[in-house]
Amino acid sequence: MEQDLWKQNASAMVDYHGQVFEIICQRSHGSHAFSIFQGANPLELSFTVLLLDMSIVLILSNIMRFLLKPLKQPKVISDVLAGIILGPSVLGHNKTFAKNVIPENSRFIIRNIGIIGFMFFLFLTGVKMDVTVITKVRKRLWVNAAGGILIPYIIVPSVASIIKRCTDLGFNKASSTGAIVSAIIITAFPVIYSVLKDMQLLSSEIGRLALTISIIGDVFGLSMIVTFEALKQGEKKMIYVLYYLLTLVGVWIVKRTPQGKLVDQNYVIATLLGVFFMGFTTDFIGAAIGSGPIWLGLAIPDGPPMGETIVQKTEVILNDILMPFAYATIRLQTDVFEMWAYWASLIPVFTLVFSAIVVKLVAVVLVARFMEMTYRDSFTLGFMLSLRGESEFFLCLHWMDLKIIKTPSFSLIVTLIILMTSIACPIINYLYDPTRPYLINKKRTIQHRVQESELRILACIYDQESVANLFSLVDFINPTTNNPFTIFALHLIELLGRATPVFIDHTKYKDVYRDNNNEAVHKAINHYEKAHRDCITMNFFTSVTPNRTMYRDICEIALSNKVELIILPFHKKCIENRYDFSTAVRRVGVQSTNANTLSHAPCSVGILACKNNAAPWGTLPTRISYRVNCVFALLFLGGPDAREALSLVSRMVEHPNVSLIVVRFLANEYEGYEKSERKMDDGVITWFWVKNEKNDKVVYKEVVVRNGFDTVLAIKLLNDSAPIDLWITGRNNGINPILIEGLLEWSENPELGLLGDFLMSLDSGSVLIVQQQVLRNQRVSP
């Protein structure tokens, strides 16, 4: 019988030449032929237990993320805590639970898969890391990085020299102490990137600073780790140090990635297999098994095409499958009960690690203040560079293998790392709001600008299709030699395949491009600039940043260049096929970027939604391609957004090919108006009419309505009476609620406002939505 093959776990102590060894006999089992319905116990099968274990980990991890989200905790803290709850520190402390859920015969599998998870985590981080940035950094960053490393390296080893005689086995050696001190002092780039990505701070000013400093620190840190591991190899014979270093040099030469390879499936597979080879090689020579994968990652060019392809094909399975095993490996070694039992002997370890954390924080803050950063930014940078996580957990496992530390010390260091990161994250969120500088009290709008001054516009570009439409709209706003424009063209690209955001100022770096698409956009902009150099000054930028924080780069450029109008493309673009039918294609991440820009912009914002390529300006942004006459319609419902839209069209109507219909909607018996808003609306309407009363291309109408349905009916009648090429309206702010009553339930695109969303449903005419600048301490309508 198959069940007769199963043996109960047994252990025995064997004395061999004076050394005592524990021999554990594991139960063996055959196939999965028997089910629970036939009396078999699935928990006696290691693979079944493994599946149960990981299912519980994934469920508990998601529960912990939900519970800790209000506390601003990153993913790594939630996942590690979920693992520790299942480990011997909490549930695993119960012998029955430990025997059935985490038996010895499944721990070996979990640990090995977890190590593979750490290997691929470090490999992908290396792929995303661009070490060449250290050749371009300013002196200020070198001072920050050097001060944050050298000051702790002077103070902490002094503390270690005092307490090293009192620690547990293996920790009182210089190589062991140096390795642990280095790991705590050096801020690991993989950890900083992972946590800041969760906190959406990668593209923030302090976030970029922390990433760059961590790269500089990692160069030094890797050198120190190699040094201390070489010393560890030389504890038996000094010749082993030479063997170790020579082997590392050989590994570095072998791992160089061939340049110019096509990113086909075979090359990707070969690269991923290289992760296992590099892990085997570094483990074989006694180095940390993660060292080889991160070196291999550094050798692969970041970004497209190679880095982006590898990240896209690997990241999901790493984050959702392999990393939970990695965190489960941590939980198997973390036992707070054993930590408390040996607390008296752990006080020196606690003193060393705690002093390293505190000295590191204080050193970074002091150096930042010396470099004239504000107190708030200095402490923010200090806490960012104090973040600890996956890299330190992996090193702790490596130290366990080298017998530098034991389970009590391991549990203590893991606990301190969790506490440090979990405390630092909410403090960072409290101290640092990267969007705060964007909302200002100085008005930067078209309505309030000096008439003869230069109009400054920021045009945001996501793809080649948006170039023609955006710049044709700019042309219709009518730049002239007497009223010139300064255009800031920003090409926004999603950050893929690399960790550090990229910002390129093409006025300084004319021949530097992110990819072929970026170069094509640049050429189109250059062509436009040459055709309008008499009235337009062009500045071109490229920003490679995560979708979730793209709006910050938009707002930053608008703020620093005193822009008065930001023009954004709609998140849907229309592509015509060979049967002359238009298909709407979503631009990934653009809708949230537009919504966030509306909420934080330091100036007025317009969103241009082109329904198809039959827009009045066609596909070529030159004046000769326009129709003889284009009909624009402004729907004026009152409020600051409507007044800003009217100020904009007052410039458009000066264009020789534009005819304008202005329709002002009024509530029946003037119901629902605020007196101050109504007075300002009357003033700007009077100004516009006085300016254009003799202009035959301008038609002004007033329509009295009782609710939103009357408003919609009037718009439909206008659309049926004449083909409208471009609808223009204010977004939401200040609109009399009577005029849009009943329209709320129709809204699908809130960033366009209620009326703009309805205009997108009409069969003709593109749509331009305008929002006037929201000053600080004001609220913008959702």
Side-chain angles (χ1 to χ4, degrees):
M1 295 293 293
E2 181 179 359
Q3 291 181 348
D4 293 336
L5 298 175
W6 295 352
K7 308 293 183 182
Q8 296 298 319
N9 283 346
S11 62
M13 305 303 294
V14 178
D15 191 326
Y16 180 75
H17 294 293
Q19 292 185 342
V20 180
F21 298 90
E22 182 180 12
I23 300 177
I24 299 178
C25 299
Q26 307 264 359
R27 68 167 62 93
S28 61
H29 56 80
S31 65
H32 292 235
F34 295 103
S35 68
I36 191 173
F37 303 108
Q38 295 173 300
N41 182 7
L43 296 181
E44 291 181 340
L45 303 173
S46 59
F47 185 70
T48 306
V49 172
L50 178 66
L51 295 179
L52 173 64
D53 193 19
M54 296 316 301
S55 298
I56 297 174
V57 167
L58 292 174
I59 294 171
L60 190 57
S61 295
N62 283 280
I63 293 174
M64 292 299 295
R65 291 177 201 170
F66 175 78
L67 295 177
L68 296 178
K69 187 176 181 180
L71 300 178
K72 309 297 183 183
Q73 295 301 313
K75 180 176 178 290
V76 59
I77 296 299
S78 304
D79 291 347
V80 171
L81 286 179
I84 290 177
I85 289 174
L86 292 177
S89 297
V90 187
L91 297 178
H93 192 64
N94 181 281
K95 294 183 178 180
T96 303
F97 181 88
K99 178 182 177 181
N100 291 284
V101 179
I102 47 174
E104 290 292 337
N105 57 347
S106 68
R107 294 188 180 193
F108 177 77
I109 301 175
I110 292 175
R111 176 179 172 83
N112 282 278
I113 298 177
I115 295 298
I116 292 174
F118 276 121
M119 286 169 51
F120 273 92
F121 170 79
L122 294 172
F123 164 70
L124 284 187
T125 305
V127 172
K128 298 174 184 178
M129 188 188 301
D130 180 13
V131 293
T132 61
V133 299
I134 65 176
T135 64
K136 307 171 186 176
V137 297
R138 294 167 294 175
K139 179 181 177 182
R140 168 188 171 189
L141 292 182
W142 281 105
V143 173
N144 275 302
I149 294 174
L150 295 179
I151 294 175
Y153 259 113
I154 295 173
I155 298 176
V156 178
S158 302
V159 177
S161 64
I162 298 173
I163 65 175
K164 67 179 181 179
R165 298 180 181 275
C166 308
T167 58
D168 58 354
L169 180 63
F171 194 67
N172 58 348
K173 299 176 182 177
S175 60
S176 304
T177 305
I180 294 179
V181 168
S182 295
I184 301 300
I185 291 176
I186 302 296
T187 302
F189 177 85
V191 176
I192 293 289
Y193 167 75
S194 176
V195 177
L196 293 187
K197 181 180 179 182
D198 289 341
M199 300 175 69
Q200 300 185 28
L201 293 176
L202 281 180
S203 61
S204 65
E205 182 181 0
I206 306 297
R208 293 176 193 248
L209 187 65
L211 285 173
T212 305
I213 291 175
S214 67
I215 292 176
I216 298 173
D218 270 1
V219 173
F220 180 78
L222 285 173
S223 303
M224 295 304 297
I225 289 175
V226 168
T227 301
F228 289 121
E229 287 193 341
L231 291 175
K232 187 69 178 178
Q233 296 289 327
E235 287 178 357
K236 294 183 178 179
K237 291 183 179 181
M238 288 304 297
I239 191 65
Y240 291 168
V241 176
L242 179 61
Y243 294 158
Y244 175 83
L245 295 177
L246 289 176
T247 308
L248 282 183
V249 173
V251 169
W252 179 254
I253 295 173
V254 172
K255 64 92 183 172
R256 298 303 298 175
T257 302
Q259 299 295 320
K261 293 286 186 179
L262 296 177
V263 189
D264 57 21
Q265 189 73 12
N266 293 331
Y267 190 50
V268 173
I269 292 173
T271 303
L272 297 180
L273 289 176
V275 177
F276 292 100
F277 174 76
M278 294 298 297
F280 164 77
T281 304
T282 48
D283 189 49
F284 183 77
I285 65 174
I289 197 171
S291 302
I294 196 170
W295 291 337
L296 177 62
L298 289 172
I300 294 174
D302 63 308
M306 187 61 193
E308 180 179 333
T309 303
I310 289 178
V311 170
Q312 288 179 338
K313 290 181 178 292
T314 313
E315 201 163 34
V316 173
I317 192 170
L318 170 68
N319 292 334
D320 297 336
I321 303 296
L322 295 179
M323 287 310 293
F325 280 92
Y327 298 131
T329 305
I330 299 298
R331 72 118 190 268
L332 294 176
Q333 304 291 342
T334 305
D335 189 345
V336 295
F337 294 100
E338 193 166 347
M339 182 181 71
W340 285 116
Y342 292 90
W343 178 251
S345 63
L346 292 177
I347 291 178
V349 183
F350 173 82
T351 304
L352 179 65
V353 176
F354 183 77
S355 63
I357 292 173
V358 173
V359 170
K360 172 73 175 182
L361 174 62
V362 174
V364 172
V365 173
L366 291 178
V367 173
R369 282 296 300 146
F370 176 75
M371 299 306 295
E372 298 182 348
M373 293 180 65
T374 64
Y375 280 105
R376 201 180 194 91
D377 288 348
S378 298
F379 276 100
T380 300
L381 181 63
F383 280 106
M384 281 185 179
L385 295 178
S386 298
L387 294 170
R388 299 294 180 266
E390 295 93 342
S391 297
E392 287 73 25
F393 294 144
F394 174 76
L395 286 174
C396 285
L397 291 174
H398 183 56
W399 297 335
M400 287 280 286
D401 291 339
L402 296 178
K403 302 187 183 305
I404 293 177
I405 58 176
K406 297 179 181 179
T407 299
S409 298
F410 179 93
S411 303
L412 175 62
I413 295 174
V414 168
T415 302
L416 290 174
I417 290 172
I418 293 173
L419 287 175
M420 182 63 222
T421 302
S422 60
I423 292 172
C425 288
I427 292 177
I428 292 171
N429 273 283
Y430 173 76
L431 291 176
Y432 187 54
D433 179 10
T435 66
R436 179 174 175 79
Y438 303 146
L439 294 179
I440 58 178
N441 289 320
K442 185 176 181 179
K443 291 182 179 180
R444 293 181 181 172
T445 68
I446 298 176
Q447 180 186 356
H448 299 98
R449 65 181 293 274
V450 179
Q451 288 299 315
E452 301 302 324
S453 64
E454 187 179 56
L455 180 61
R456 304 171 75 84
I457 297 176
L458 172 59
C460 298
I461 300 167
Y462 294 103
D463 44 44
Q464 296 183 41
E465 291 83 0
S466 60
V467 175
N469 291 326
L470 286 173
F471 284 109
S472 297
L473 176 63
V474 169
D475 249 358
F476 275 117
I477 301 176
N478 200 34
T480 64
T481 54
N482 294 327
N483 290 293
F485 289 4
T486 296
I487 306 297
F488 301 91
L490 176 62
H491 188 194
L492 294 158
I493 303 174
E494 183 182 4
L495 180 67
L496 295 172
R498 63 173 292 141
T500 310
V502 176
F503 184 81
I504 306 172
D505 183 350
H506 292 279
T507 58
K508 298 179 181 178
Y509 306 99
K510 296 184 181 296
D511 298 323
V512 178
Y513 304 107
R514 170 66 174 177
D515 50 31
N516 292 334
N517 186 55
N518 184 218
E519 185 176 2
V521 169
H522 193 191
K523 288 180 179 179
I525 292 174
N526 284 338
H527 176 71
Y528 178 83
E529 181 183 17
K530 290 178 182 178
H532 302 81
R533 61 179 55 187
D534 59 329
C535 56
I536 285 180
T537 302
M538 183 67 67
N539 299 274
F540 181 41
F541 308 99
T542 296
S543 174
V544 185
T545 188
N547 276 333
R548 292 185 296 177
T549 56
M550 237 172 227
Y551 72 96
R552 293 178 187 166
D553 282 0
I554 297 173
C555 295
E556 181 68 31
I557 293 177
L559 179 66
S560 59
N561 293 285
K562 300 180 180 180
V563 167
E564 289 146 331
L565 176 65
I566 299 172
I567 304 177
L568 302 168
F570 189 46
H571 70 274
K572 294 179 183 178
K573 61 179 179 180
C574 292
I575 298 178
E576 291 187 355
N577 56 32
R578 59 180 179 176
Y579 302 108
D580 294 331
F581 291 109
S582 294
T583 303
V585 179
R586 293 179 65 91
R587 295 181 171 108
V588 178
V590 173
Q591 185 173 24
S592 62
T593 298
N594 289 350
N596 285 322
T597 303
L598 289 167
S599 299
H600 300 96
C603 60
S604 297
V605 181
I607 298 180
L608 177 63
C610 295
K611 297 178 184 177
N612 51 53
N613 286 337
W617 39 79
T619 58
L620 182 64
T622 58
R623 293 180 186 271
I624 60 174
S625 66
Y626 300 152
R627 299 187 207 164
V628 174
N629 187 32
C630 298
V631 180
F632 292 178
L634 171 68
L635 306 179
F636 189 95
L637 277 71
D641 291 352
R643 295 192 291 270
E644 186 73 0
L646 185 64
S647 301
L648 181 63
V649 299
S650 69
R651 300 185 61 96
M652 291 182 173
V653 77
E654 297 175 1
H655 192 283
N657 298 119
V658 172
S659 295
L660 180 65
I661 301 174
V662 178
V663 181
R664 184 183 187 186
F665 291 87
L666 298 170
N668 190 33
E669 298 181 355
Y670 301 106
E671 180 183 0
Y673 284 104
E674 293 184 9
K675 290 184 178 180
S676 58
E677 288 291 331
R678 174 66 189 279
K679 186 176 180 180
M680 286 187 286
D681 290 346
D682 290 341
V684 74
I685 285 289
T686 301
W687 163 80
F688 177 79
W689 180 241
V690 169
K691 180 180 178 182
N692 294 283
E693 62 179 339
K694 295 182 180 181
N695 191 340
D696 295 336
K697 299 190 300 176
V698 178
V699 176
Y700 175 76
K701 301 179 180 179
E702 290 187 353
V703 179
V704 178
V705 297
R706 293 169 297 180
N707 50 45
F709 297 103
D710 287 352
T711 303
V712 168
L713 180 60
I715 295 172
K716 287 183 176 180
L717 291 174
L718 176 61
N719 183 57
D720 294 338
S721 63
I724 304 299
D725 296 305
L726 179 65
W727 298 92
I728 306 168
T729 186
R731 185 170 172 255
N732 273 343
N733 294 340
I735 295 179
N736 185 342
I738 301 297
L739 304 179
I740 55 175
E741 184 180 359
L743 298 183
L744 183 61
E745 58 194 46
W746 294 0
S747 180
E748 295 181 0
N749 303 295
E751 71 275 15
L752 296 181
L754 296 177
L755 197 57
D757 197 27
F758 166 73
L759 292 172
M760 285 299 296
S761 66
L762 299 179
D763 56 0
S764 66
S766 297
V767 180
L768 176 63
I769 304 302
V770 179
Q771 174 184 283
Q772 192 174 74
Q773 175 195 9
V774 179
L775 300 178
R776 182 173 291 174
N777 300 325
Q778 288 184 340
R779 295 179 62 89
V780 60
S781 300

